[in-house]
PDB file of all heavy atoms in Angstrom:
ATOM      1  N   THR A   1     110.392  89.334 111.638  1.00  0.00           N
ATOM      2  CA  THR A   1     111.179  89.706 110.465  1.00  0.00           C
ATOM      3  C   THR A   1     112.463  90.425 110.857  1.00  0.00           C
ATOM      4  O   THR A   1     113.351  90.611 110.031  1.00  0.00           O
ATOM      5  CB  THR A   1     110.360  90.612 109.522  1.00  0.00           C
ATOM      6  OG1 THR A   1     109.803  91.698 110.270  1.00  0.00           O
ATOM      7  CG2 THR A   1     109.239  89.832 108.859  1.00  0.00           C
ATOM      8  N   ASP A   2     112.558  90.843 112.128  1.00  0.00           N
ATOM      9  CA  ASP A   2     113.780  91.491 112.609  1.00  0.00           C
ATOM     10  C   ASP A   2     114.779  90.482 113.163  1.00  0.00           C
ATOM     11  O   ASP A   2     115.896  90.851 113.531  1.00  0.00           O
ATOM     12  CB  ASP A   2     113.444  92.504 113.716  1.00  0.00           C
ATOM     13  CG  ASP A   2     112.501  93.592 113.224  1.00  0.00           C
ATOM     14  OD1 ASP A   2     112.620  93.976 112.044  1.00  0.00           O
ATOM     15  OD2 ASP A   2     111.653  94.048 114.014  1.00  0.00           O
ATOM     16  N   LYS A   3     114.376  89.218 113.217  1.00  0.00           N
ATOM     17  CA  LYS A   3     115.236  88.180 113.762  1.00  0.00           C
ATOM     18  C   LYS A   3     115.904  87.395 112.648  1.00  0.00           C
ATOM     19  O   LYS A   3     115.359  87.253 111.553  1.00  0.00           O
ATOM     20  CB  LYS A   3     114.435  87.211 114.646  1.00  0.00           C
ATOM     21  CG  LYS A   3     113.753  87.853 115.848  1.00  0.00           C
ATOM     22  CD  LYS A   3     112.996  86.806 116.638  1.00  0.00           C
ATOM     23  CE  LYS A   3     112.380  87.392 117.903  1.00  0.00           C
ATOM     24  NZ  LYS A   3     111.237  88.269 117.618  1.00  0.00           N
ATOM     25  N   LEU A   4     117.073  86.870 112.905  1.00  0.00           N
ATOM     26  CA  LEU A   4     117.744  86.009 111.947  1.00  0.00           C
ATOM     27  C   LEU A   4     116.981  84.699 111.829  1.00  0.00           C
ATOM     28  O   LEU A   4     116.462  84.175 112.807  1.00  0.00           O
ATOM     29  CB  LEU A   4     119.185  85.721 112.390  1.00  0.00           C
ATOM     30  CG  LEU A   4     120.180  86.891 112.332  1.00  0.00           C
ATOM     31  CD1 LEU A   4     121.500  86.461 112.955  1.00  0.00           C
ATOM     32  CD2 LEU A   4     120.396  87.329 110.893  1.00  0.00           C
ATOM     33  N   VAL A   5     116.906  84.174 110.616  1.00  0.00           N
ATOM     34  CA  VAL A   5     116.264  82.876 110.418  1.00  0.00           C
ATOM     35  C   VAL A   5     117.001  81.821 111.219  1.00  0.00           C
ATOM     36  O   VAL A   5     118.223  81.730 111.186  1.00  0.00           O
ATOM     37  CB  VAL A   5     116.277  82.491 108.929  1.00  0.00           C
ATOM     38  CG1 VAL A   5     115.706  81.097 108.746  1.00  0.00           C
ATOM     39  CG2 VAL A   5     115.510  83.496 108.107  1.00  0.00           C
ATOM     40  N   GLY A   6     116.256  81.048 112.002  1.00  0.00           N
ATOM     41  CA  GLY A   6     116.873  80.003 112.800  1.00  0.00           C
ATOM     42  C   GLY A   6     117.303  80.454 114.183  1.00  0.00           C
ATOM     43  O   GLY A   6     117.848  79.661 114.954  1.00  0.00           O
ATOM     44  N   SER A   7     117.051  81.730 114.507  1.00  0.00           N
ATOM     45  CA  SER A   7     117.448  82.205 115.838  1.00  0.00           C
ATOM     46  C   SER A   7     116.453  81.721 116.885  1.00  0.00           C
ATOM     47  O   SER A   7     115.267  81.546 116.609  1.00  0.00           O
ATOM     48  CB  SER A   7     117.520  83.736 115.862  1.00  0.00           C
ATOM     49  OG  SER A   7     116.237  84.296 115.631  1.00  0.00           O
ATOM     50  N   GLY A   8     116.940  81.508 118.095  1.00  0.00           N
ATOM     51  CA  GLY A   8     116.089  81.024 119.167  1.00  0.00           C
ATOM     52  C   GLY A   8     116.036  79.513 119.222  1.00  0.00           C
ATOM     53  O   GLY A   8     116.532  78.819 118.332  1.00  0.00           O
ATOM     54  N   THR A   9     115.423  79.001 120.269  1.00  0.00           N
ATOM     55  CA  THR A   9     115.286  77.552 120.415  1.00  0.00           C
ATOM     56  C   THR A   9     114.241  77.034 119.441  1.00  0.00           C
ATOM     57  O   THR A   9     113.463  77.802 118.857  1.00  0.00           O
ATOM     58  CB  THR A   9     114.864  77.194 121.841  1.00  0.00           C
ATOM     59  OG1 THR A   9     113.540  77.715 122.085  1.00  0.00           O
ATOM     60  CG2 THR A   9     115.829  77.782 122.876  1.00  0.00           C
ATOM     61  N   VAL A  10     114.188  75.726 119.264  1.00  0.00           N
ATOM     62  CA  VAL A  10     113.173  75.129 118.402  1.00  0.00           C
ATOM     63  C   VAL A  10     111.779  75.471 118.920  1.00  0.00           C
ATOM     64  O   VAL A  10     110.875  75.809 118.143  1.00  0.00           O
ATOM     65  CB  VAL A  10     113.358  73.599 118.319  1.00  0.00           C
ATOM     66  CG1 VAL A  10     112.185  72.954 117.593  1.00  0.00           C
ATOM     67  CG2 VAL A  10     114.665  73.252 117.625  1.00  0.00           C
ATOM     68  N   ARG A  11     111.604  75.409 120.231  1.00  0.00           N
ATOM     69  CA  ARG A  11     110.301  75.746 120.820  1.00  0.00           C
ATOM     70  C   ARG A  11     109.905  77.183 120.488  1.00  0.00           C
ATOM     71  O   ARG A  11     108.750  77.460 120.144  1.00  0.00           O
ATOM     72  CB  ARG A  11     110.352  75.557 122.344  1.00  0.00           C
ATOM     73  CG  ARG A  11     109.022  75.843 123.047  1.00  0.00           C
ATOM     74  CD  ARG A  11     109.199  75.759 124.554  1.00  0.00           C
ATOM     75  NE  ARG A  11     109.484  74.406 124.963  1.00  0.00           N
ATOM     76  CZ  ARG A  11     108.553  73.501 125.253  1.00  0.00           C
ATOM     77  NH1 ARG A  11     107.264  73.816 125.151  1.00  0.00           N
ATOM     78  NH2 ARG A  11     108.888  72.301 125.658  1.00  0.00           N
ATOM     79  N   GLU A  12     110.876  78.103 120.575  1.00  0.00           N
ATOM     80  CA  GLU A  12     110.589  79.508 120.274  1.00  0.00           C
ATOM     81  C   GLU A  12     110.241  79.699 118.801  1.00  0.00           C
ATOM     82  O   GLU A  12     109.323  80.452 118.467  1.00  0.00           O
ATOM     83  CB  GLU A  12     111.800  80.372 120.645  1.00  0.00           C
ATOM     84  CG  GLU A  12     112.016  80.505 122.143  1.00  0.00           C
ATOM     85  CD  GLU A  12     113.335  81.162 122.485  1.00  0.00           C
ATOM     86  OE1 GLU A  12     114.256  81.173 121.627  1.00  0.00           O
ATOM     87  OE2 GLU A  12     113.463  81.665 123.619  1.00  0.00           O
ATOM     88  N   GLN A  13     110.961  79.010 117.929  1.00  0.00           N
ATOM     89  CA  GLN A  13     110.687  79.142 116.497  1.00  0.00           C
ATOM     90  C   GLN A  13     109.319  78.570 116.138  1.00  0.00           C
ATOM     91  O   GLN A  13     108.578  79.147 115.338  1.00  0.00           O
ATOM     92  CB  GLN A  13     111.786  78.446 115.699  1.00  0.00           C
ATOM     93  CG  GLN A  13     113.139  79.143 115.812  1.00  0.00           C
ATOM     94  CD  GLN A  13     114.216  78.418 115.035  1.00  0.00           C
ATOM     95  OE1 GLN A  13     114.203  78.428 113.808  1.00  0.00           O
ATOM     96  NE2 GLN A  13     115.148  77.786 115.726  1.00  0.00           N
ATOM     97  N   HIS A  14     108.968  77.455 116.753  1.00  0.00           N
ATOM     98  CA  HIS A  14     107.646  76.880 116.501  1.00  0.00           C
ATOM     99  C   HIS A  14     106.551  77.803 117.043  1.00  0.00           C
ATOM    100  O   HIS A  14     105.496  77.958 116.412  1.00  0.00           O
ATOM    101  CB  HIS A  14     107.545  75.506 117.150  1.00  0.00           C
ATOM    102  CG  HIS A  14     108.321  74.454 116.423  1.00  0.00           C
ATOM    103  ND1 HIS A  14     108.177  73.099 116.680  1.00  0.00           N
ATOM    104  CD2 HIS A  14     109.248  74.531 115.439  1.00  0.00           C
ATOM    105  CE1 HIS A  14     108.987  72.414 115.895  1.00  0.00           C
ATOM    106  NE2 HIS A  14     109.648  73.259 115.139  1.00  0.00           N
ATOM    107  N   ALA A  15     106.823  78.423 118.186  1.00  0.00           N
ATOM    108  CA  ALA A  15     105.842  79.338 118.777  1.00  0.00           C
ATOM    109  C   ALA A  15     105.568  80.522 117.851  1.00  0.00           C
ATOM    110  O   ALA A  15     104.438  81.012 117.767  1.00  0.00           O
ATOM    111  CB  ALA A  15     106.338  79.831 120.133  1.00  0.00           C
ATOM    112  N   ARG A  16     106.596  80.983 117.141  1.00  0.00           N
ATOM    113  CA  ARG A  16     106.408  82.087 116.191  1.00  0.00           C
ATOM    114  C   ARG A  16     105.444  81.684 115.073  1.00  0.00           C
ATOM    115  O   ARG A  16     104.601  82.479 114.648  1.00  0.00           O
ATOM    116  CB  ARG A  16     107.757  82.490 115.580  1.00  0.00           C
ATOM    117  CG  ARG A  16     108.735  83.129 116.554  1.00  0.00           C
ATOM    118  CD  ARG A  16     110.084  83.308 115.870  1.00  0.00           C
ATOM    119  NE  ARG A  16     111.147  83.525 116.843  1.00  0.00           N
ATOM    120  CZ  ARG A  16     112.440  83.372 116.592  1.00  0.00           C
ATOM    121  NH1 ARG A  16     112.824  82.997 115.371  1.00  0.00           N
ATOM    122  NH2 ARG A  16     113.334  83.586 117.527  1.00  0.00           N
ATOM    123  N   GLU A  17     105.571  80.450 114.599  1.00  0.00           N
ATOM    124  CA  GLU A  17     104.692  79.989 113.524  1.00  0.00           C
ATOM    125  C   GLU A  17     103.254  79.849 114.013  1.00  0.00           C
ATOM    126  O   GLU A  17     102.312  80.248 113.321  1.00  0.00           O
ATOM    127  CB  GLU A  17     105.193  78.655 112.954  1.00  0.00           C
ATOM    128  CG  GLU A  17     106.537  78.745 112.268  1.00  0.00           C
ATOM    129  CD  GLU A  17     106.543  79.783 111.157  1.00  0.00           C
ATOM    130  OE1 GLU A  17     105.571  79.829 110.365  1.00  0.00           O
ATOM    131  OE2 GLU A  17     107.518  80.548 111.083  1.00  0.00           O
ATOM    132  N   TYR A  18     103.083  79.281 115.204  1.00  0.00           N
ATOM    133  CA  TYR A  18     101.734  79.170 115.762  1.00  0.00           C
ATOM    134  C   TYR A  18     101.109  80.559 115.943  1.00  0.00           C
ATOM    135  O   TYR A  18      99.928  80.771 115.654  1.00  0.00           O
ATOM    136  CB  TYR A  18     101.768  78.458 117.114  1.00  0.00           C
ATOM    137  CG  TYR A  18     102.115  76.988 117.046  1.00  0.00           C
ATOM    138  CD1 TYR A  18     103.043  76.437 117.936  1.00  0.00           C
ATOM    139  CD2 TYR A  18     101.495  76.137 116.133  1.00  0.00           C
ATOM    140  CE1 TYR A  18     103.357  75.083 117.909  1.00  0.00           C
ATOM    141  CE2 TYR A  18     101.805  74.786 116.090  1.00  0.00           C
ATOM    142  CZ  TYR A  18     102.731  74.265 116.980  1.00  0.00           C
ATOM    143  OH  TYR A  18     103.034  72.917 116.945  1.00  0.00           O
ATOM    144  N   ALA A  19     101.916  81.515 116.424  1.00  0.00           N
ATOM    145  CA  ALA A  19     101.415  82.868 116.658  1.00  0.00           C
ATOM    146  C   ALA A  19     101.033  83.544 115.341  1.00  0.00           C
ATOM    147  O   ALA A  19     100.014  84.235 115.259  1.00  0.00           O
ATOM    148  CB  ALA A  19     102.464  83.702 117.397  1.00  0.00           C
ATOM    149  N   ALA A  20     101.848  83.346 114.300  1.00  0.00           N
ATOM    150  CA  ALA A  20     101.543  83.942 112.993  1.00  0.00           C
ATOM    151  C   ALA A  20     100.289  83.314 112.391  1.00  0.00           C
ATOM    152  O   ALA A  20      99.487  83.998 111.746  1.00  0.00           O
ATOM    153  CB  ALA A  20     102.729  83.785 112.049  1.00  0.00           C
ATOM    154  N   ASP A  21     100.102  82.016 112.603  1.00  0.00           N
ATOM    155  CA  ASP A  21      98.881  81.351 112.136  1.00  0.00           C
ATOM    156  C   ASP A  21      97.650  81.945 112.823  1.00  0.00           C
ATOM    157  O   ASP A  21      96.638  82.249 112.173  1.00  0.00           O
ATOM    158  CB  ASP A  21      98.940  79.851 112.428  1.00  0.00           C
ATOM    159  CG  ASP A  21      99.868  79.089 111.492  1.00  0.00           C
ATOM    160  OD1 ASP A  21     100.275  79.656 110.460  1.00  0.00           O
ATOM    161  OD2 ASP A  21     100.179  77.925 111.804  1.00  0.00           O
ATOM    162  N   ALA A  22      97.722  82.113 114.135  1.00  0.00           N
ATOM    163  CA  ALA A  22      96.597  82.676 114.886  1.00  0.00           C
ATOM    164  C   ALA A  22      96.338  84.121 114.473  1.00  0.00           C
ATOM    165  O   ALA A  22      95.183  84.561 114.386  1.00  0.00           O
ATOM    166  CB  ALA A  22      96.875  82.600 116.386  1.00  0.00           C
ATOM    167  N   PHE A  23      97.407  84.859 114.193  1.00  0.00           N
ATOM    168  CA  PHE A  23      97.285  86.246 113.757  1.00  0.00           C
ATOM    169  C   PHE A  23      96.524  86.312 112.438  1.00  0.00           C
ATOM    170  O   PHE A  23      95.623  87.133 112.256  1.00  0.00           O
ATOM    171  CB  PHE A  23      98.679  86.854 113.595  1.00  0.00           C
ATOM    172  CG  PHE A  23      98.686  88.357 113.464  1.00  0.00           C
ATOM    173  CD1 PHE A  23      98.846  89.162 114.573  1.00  0.00           C
ATOM    174  CD2 PHE A  23      98.554  88.958 112.227  1.00  0.00           C
ATOM    175  CE1 PHE A  23      98.862  90.550 114.460  1.00  0.00           C
ATOM    176  CE2 PHE A  23      98.562  90.335 112.091  1.00  0.00           C
ATOM    177  CZ  PHE A  23      98.723  91.130 113.213  1.00  0.00           C
ATOM    178  N   SER A  24      96.878  85.426 111.510  1.00  0.00           N
ATOM    179  CA  SER A  24      96.186  85.370 110.224  1.00  0.00           C
ATOM    180  C   SER A  24      94.705  85.062 110.418  1.00  0.00           C
ATOM    181  O   SER A  24      93.837  85.713 109.819  1.00  0.00           O
ATOM    182  CB  SER A  24      96.825  84.304 109.319  1.00  0.00           C
ATOM    183  OG  SER A  24      96.077  84.131 108.140  1.00  0.00           O
ATOM    184  N   ALA A  25      94.417  84.072 111.248  1.00  0.00           N
ATOM    185  CA  ALA A  25      93.027  83.702 111.502  1.00  0.00           C
ATOM    186  C   ALA A  25      92.236  84.884 112.060  1.00  0.00           C
ATOM    187  O   ALA A  25      91.074  85.107 111.683  1.00  0.00           O
ATOM    188  CB  ALA A  25      92.971  82.525 112.467  1.00  0.00           C
ATOM    189  N   LYS A  26      92.868  85.662 112.921  1.00  0.00           N
ATOM    190  CA  LYS A  26      92.189  86.786 113.560  1.00  0.00           C
ATOM    191  C   LYS A  26      91.923  87.924 112.585  1.00  0.00           C
ATOM    192  O   LYS A  26      90.798  88.427 112.500  1.00  0.00           O
ATOM    193  CB  LYS A  26      93.023  87.302 114.734  1.00  0.00           C
ATOM    194  CG  LYS A  26      92.380  88.451 115.488  1.00  0.00           C
ATOM    195  CD  LYS A  26      93.228  88.875 116.678  1.00  0.00           C
ATOM    196  CE  LYS A  26      92.578  90.042 117.428  1.00  0.00           C
ATOM    197  NZ  LYS A  26      93.400  90.455 118.598  1.00  0.00           N
TER     198      LYS A  26
END
């Protein structure tokens, strides 16, 4: 939430979504 939307590479942005999904599951 401290990052600008769209910042980072596509791989990095996708990694954030995967990480948030895993965080929710946990």
Side-chain angles (χ1 to χ4, degrees):
T1 51
D2 300 325
K3 300 180 176 72
L4 290 173
V5 176
S7 64
T9 65
V10 172
R11 182 185 293 272
E12 289 170 340
Q13 292 179 70
H14 286 192
R16 292 173 197 162
E17 295 304 316
Y18 291 134
D21 285 347
F23 194 93
S24 173
K26 182 177 180 180

